[in-house]
Amino acid sequence: MKLNKNLKVVLIVLILVGTLAAFVGYVTTHPEVITKVRSISPATLLLLLAAYVLAFISLILVLRVSLQMYGKTIAFKESSLLNAYSSLINFFGPGQSGAAVRGIYLKKRHGFKLKSYALTTLLYYGFYAVTSAFLLFVGSRPWWQTVGLMVSVAVCSIVVIKWYAKKSSLAGESGINPKNLALLFAATALQIFSYCIIYYLELASIDPTVSIAQALTYTGAANFALFVSLTPGAIGIREAFLVFSQNLHHISNTIIVAANLIDRAVYLLFLGLLFILVLVSHAKDKLHLTTSEKMS
């Protein structure tokens, strides 16, 4: 186990170093990238921050519906602080550390079993994957290929969810009904919609000729990086997904690099605002979170 953990750390370091080296090398030979980034307007920055706020609200809704499936509730302020704290942990920690923090907290403070939390998270990931698959192909491929990909992803998601539910003896939960599933899908769709806005604004600020269809495909490709999020903020992973899917969105490497540079900068600014919220609200103390808590 320790060996696997060490290998994972080495892999993360290699990806980050490789990404930094590739970025520096690319910018050195393509100085126009920095020029494009500097041209972004203050109004676009404000719109990007507003879109990130919308994405943050969608995560609050996802958490609310997840608890609702098991007859539990959480106050908006409490959910906001928890998501703010876990978002910071998720970016600066390894893998999906933020999800672990939420799971620990919900178990300790609301009696939300980790098995139940994992099931609702799988449902969320399933909706996220299906919606992202739709975006990946809808703007660039024939309708039958888009439908085929969505069905394939949906079937894989259902198989994984049913396997986990059966393994964890969670099948037949009354709260996992069409109404709650529809609400969870709507919250997930809101998050995806906010990402569409974010990526379109970033791409259009670099190249105004980028179409909405290209931005949708670009968003779908970028979203799949969530499932291979080894590095903080999926640095290097997301960029690789976007480069490998160029035959679908047809956006050049220069625009990809510039848009991702803008995105990282704006997201760090957004995280800075969340950090201020956490400090001012004394979130860690109010949530009674400690670094010694382990998932058990």
Side-chain angles (χ1 to χ4, degrees):
M1 181 66 73
K2 185 177 181 180
L3 179 62
N4 291 337
K5 185 176 181 179
N6 290 336
L7 287 175
K8 184 177 180 180
V9 171
V10 171
L11 179 60
I12 291 173
V13 172
L14 288 175
I15 292 174
L16 290 174
V17 172
T19 301
L20 179 61
F23 171 76
V24 172
Y26 192 87
V27 170
T28 301
T29 57
H30 298 77
E32 67 272 16
V33 169
I34 301 301
T35 303
K36 290 179 180 295
V37 171
R38 286 176 176 174
S39 67
I40 186 171
S41 68
T44 300
L45 287 175
L46 289 176
L47 287 173
L48 286 171
L49 285 174
Y52 268 117
V53 170
L54 183 62
F56 183 75
I57 291 174
S58 71
L59 290 176
I60 294 174
L61 296 176
V62 166
L63 181 59
R64 185 179 184 86
V65 177
S66 297
L67 287 167
Q68 184 174 303
M69 288 182 175
Y70 288 86
K72 300 181 182 297
T73 59
I74 184 170
F76 181 82
K77 182 178 180 180
E78 181 184 6
S79 180
S80 299
L81 292 177
L82 177 59
N83 275 286
Y85 188 84
S86 62
S87 292
L88 291 167
I89 296 296
N90 205 49
F91 185 84
F92 295 104
Q96 293 292 318
S97 306
V101 168
R102 286 193 298 273
I104 293 171
Y105 176 82
L106 293 173
K107 178 187 177 184
K108 299 275 186 185
R109 308 304 166 196
H110 292 275
F112 194 34
K113 295 179 181 178
L114 293 178
K115 290 181 179 180
S116 301
Y117 172 72
L119 179 59
T120 57
T121 301
L122 283 175
L123 289 169
Y124 160 69
Y125 282 157
F127 286 137
Y128 190 97
V130 171
T131 309
S132 297
F134 170 74
L135 293 178
L136 183 62
F137 272 14
V138 69
S140 61
R141 309 302 298 176
W143 69 267
W144 59 269
Q145 291 185 9
T146 302
V147 173
L149 179 62
M150 288 183 65
V151 170
S152 298
V153 173
V155 169
C156 290
S157 299
I158 291 171
V159 169
V160 172
I161 291 168
K162 284 192 172 183
W163 170 81
Y164 181 81
K166 184 176 180 181
K167 177 186 176 184
S168 305
S169 302
L170 292 172
E173 294 287 352
S174 59
I176 303 179
N177 53 46
K179 178 185 176 182
N180 284 332
L181 288 175
L183 290 173
L184 182 61
F185 176 77
T188 307
L190 179 62
Q191 181 186 14
I192 300 294
F193 174 68
S194 66
Y195 289 156
C196 289
I197 295 175
I198 289 169
Y199 292 135
Y200 178 72
L201 287 172
E202 291 168 352
L203 292 170
S205 68
I206 302 299
D207 182 5
T209 66
V210 171
S211 67
I212 293 178
Q214 284 179 292
L216 293 179
T217 301
Y218 181 98
T219 302
N223 285 348
F224 274 105
L226 170 73
F227 302 104
V228 199
S229 187
L230 294 174
T231 58
I235 293 174
I237 305 295
R238 187 174 72 191
E239 287 77 4
F241 272 60
L242 291 169
V243 170
F244 291 146
S245 60
Q246 270 185 312
N247 62 322
L248 294 175
H249 55 67
H250 305 293
I251 295 174
S252 69
N253 286 336
T254 298
I255 297 176
I256 291 174
V257 173
N260 275 271
L261 185 57
I262 292 172
D263 185 74
R264 302 300 184 186
V266 175
Y267 189 62
L268 281 174
L269 177 58
F270 176 70
L271 288 179
L273 296 176
L274 289 184
F275 182 66
I276 293 173
L277 173 65
V278 167
L279 284 181
V280 171
S281 304
H282 302 287
K284 188 173 181 180
D285 294 330
K286 286 186 178 181
L287 298 173
H288 307 290
L289 290 166
T290 63
T291 55
S292 61
E293 287 180 328
K294 303 290 183 181
M295 296 185 80
S296 58

